[in-house]
Amino acid sequence: MQTAVPYSIYLQHPVISTDTRNIPQGSIFFALKGANFNGNTFAKDALAKGAAYVVIDEAAYHIDERTILVDDVLTALQELAKCHRSQLTIPVIGITGTNGKTTTKELLHAVLSQKFKTFATQGNLNNHIGVPLSLLSVHSEHEIAIIEMGANHQGEIAALCKMSQPDYGLITNVGKAHLEGFGGFEGVKKAKGELYTCLLERKGLVFYDSDNEHLKDMLPAGVNKMSYSVEQEVRMLSAFPTVDILIDIAAHSIECKTHLSGTYNLPNLLVAARVGHYFGVSNQQIKAGLEGYVP
């Protein structure tokens, strides 16, 4: 029994599948288990549908040399993702927060894609399964990656950071959601703040909302940081039916007619613009990215 999937096999077959309803030809099928299913039972079906290899953790389902038997399929998936991340030389941006992280991720993708071949987490694949699947979808053609991370309890963001190893990161906000899993609001702050701790250790850069007192208080001493402020950098032109704004960046104003509604999206729009500017995206490209995004 192997403890991991050889990285050389992944390099030859860099497409991962976990659902036999969608088996790309030549992919590697990971037989994950859930509360109501056992992926091992689908291994034979995955090979029949075109998978190059299947990864299982129950010897009874071994088929032939295309079967990789490991101690635990989920752990093998996560370790393969961690190995792949260690080979990447592109910037990785980590995003978490109670609300707005998916919208912010999509806005960042819209802006950065104006200049770079950008990967971003698909949908809400932001948990202990989704993050490794996202990392393993980053390939040689990508120039920058945005990884969304979600959590329901303390320690989860820290674990996801060990896999994704972000170079940059931001927390959209902290709110009173899922308090039972976090042990109260202070637990939420501690859990989300694990991203800041990771960036401190990696000497990465935090983008933070200086209008949000909670986020300011959560910043660890010594972390590299760059602030953004709706109060200082955004002027509202119209809030209905959609948000139209002026964003001040580097002594220039960018007028954006967005497809977003609600003033709660102002920080999301601003940080996408500020991160884009940091990475050298032009003001014209930032405008195109923000105006082109349709939720």
Side-chain angles (χ1 to χ4, degrees):
M1 182 179 292
Q2 299 175 205
T3 58
V5 176
Y7 189 59
S8 59
I9 290 180
Y10 166 76
L11 291 177
Q12 295 169 8
H13 303 277
V15 178
I16 306 301
S17 176
T18 60
D19 188 341
T20 52
R21 292 171 296 184
N22 178 25
I23 298 287
Q25 292 296 305
S27 61
I28 304 174
F29 173 73
F30 279 76
L32 296 172
K33 294 176 180 175
N36 300 308
F37 66 91
N38 180 353
N40 287 274
T41 64
F42 299 101
K44 186 176 181 180
D45 187 30
L47 288 174
K49 290 183 176 179
Y53 288 89
V54 292
V55 183
I56 65 171
D57 52 18
E58 294 183 19
Y61 296 96
H62 188 279
I63 300 162
D64 54 31
E65 68 280 356
R66 297 172 296 172
T67 307
I68 302 173
L69 181 61
V70 297
D71 293 326
D72 181 81
V73 170
L74 177 57
T75 300
L77 176 68
Q78 294 171 339
E79 289 300 313
L80 182 63
K82 186 176 179 180
C83 177
H84 181 53
R85 169 63 184 100
S86 71
Q87 303 301 310
L88 298 175
T89 58
I90 63 174
V92 174
I93 304 170
I95 296 180
T96 191
T98 303
N99 304 111
K101 54 184 175 290
T102 298
T103 299
T104 301
K105 172 204 68 183
E106 296 294 343
L107 286 167
L108 271 176
H109 182 260
V111 169
L112 292 172
S113 293
Q114 298 296 315
K115 181 175 181 177
F116 303 101
K117 179 67 175 178
T118 306
F119 173 85
T121 299
Q122 298 296 302
N124 61 349
L125 291 174
N126 60 19
N127 64 5
H128 62 297
I129 296 173
V131 167
L133 289 175
S134 295
L135 290 169
L136 290 166
S137 297
V138 181
H139 300 308
S140 58
E141 70 268 20
H142 293 117
E143 298 173 299
I144 194 165
I146 306 164
I147 302 297
E148 180 181 333
M149 293 179 279
N152 293 314
H153 56 267
Q154 293 182 39
E156 194 167 0
I157 295 296
L160 298 178
C161 282
K162 286 183 179 179
M163 276 187 279
S164 57
Q165 294 292 295
D167 307 294
Y168 303 87
L170 65 98
I171 301 173
T172 55
N173 52 49
V174 285
K176 298 179 179 180
H178 308 294
L179 292 182
E180 66 282 357
F182 292 109
F185 182 57
E186 289 303 312
V188 174
K189 292 169 62 177
K190 183 176 180 180
K192 304 299 183 183
E194 290 163 5
L195 174 58
Y196 286 170
T197 301
C198 171
L199 290 166
L200 173 66
E201 294 170 350
R202 288 181 53 76
K203 296 181 172 58
L205 178 66
V206 170
F207 298 95
Y208 76 99
D209 183 354
S210 61
D211 298 332
N212 188 311
E213 292 299 323
H214 294 303
L215 296 181
K216 289 169 63 177
D217 291 343
M218 289 162 56
L219 289 167
V223 72
N224 298 318
K225 58 187 182 294
M226 181 174 291
S227 67
Y228 58 95
S229 166
V230 169
E231 292 181 7
Q232 298 179 27
E233 298 170 290
V234 176
R235 283 175 282 170
M236 178 75 73
L237 299 178
S238 173
F240 183 84
T242 54
V243 173
D244 297 340
I245 56 175
L246 276 174
I247 299 176
D248 293 325
I249 294 208
H252 292 90
S253 292
I254 307 173
E255 182 175 348
C256 297
K257 296 182 179 297
T258 79
H259 295 280
L260 292 169
S261 60
T263 56
Y264 54 84
N265 273 308
L266 295 182
N268 305 334
L269 288 160
L270 175 59
V271 72
R274 289 295 305 276
V275 172
H277 181 263
Y278 176 86
F279 282 102
V281 181
S282 72
N283 286 359
Q284 185 176 3
Q285 290 171 319
I286 291 171
K287 175 182 172 70
L290 296 182
E291 292 189 337
Y293 171 64
V294 179

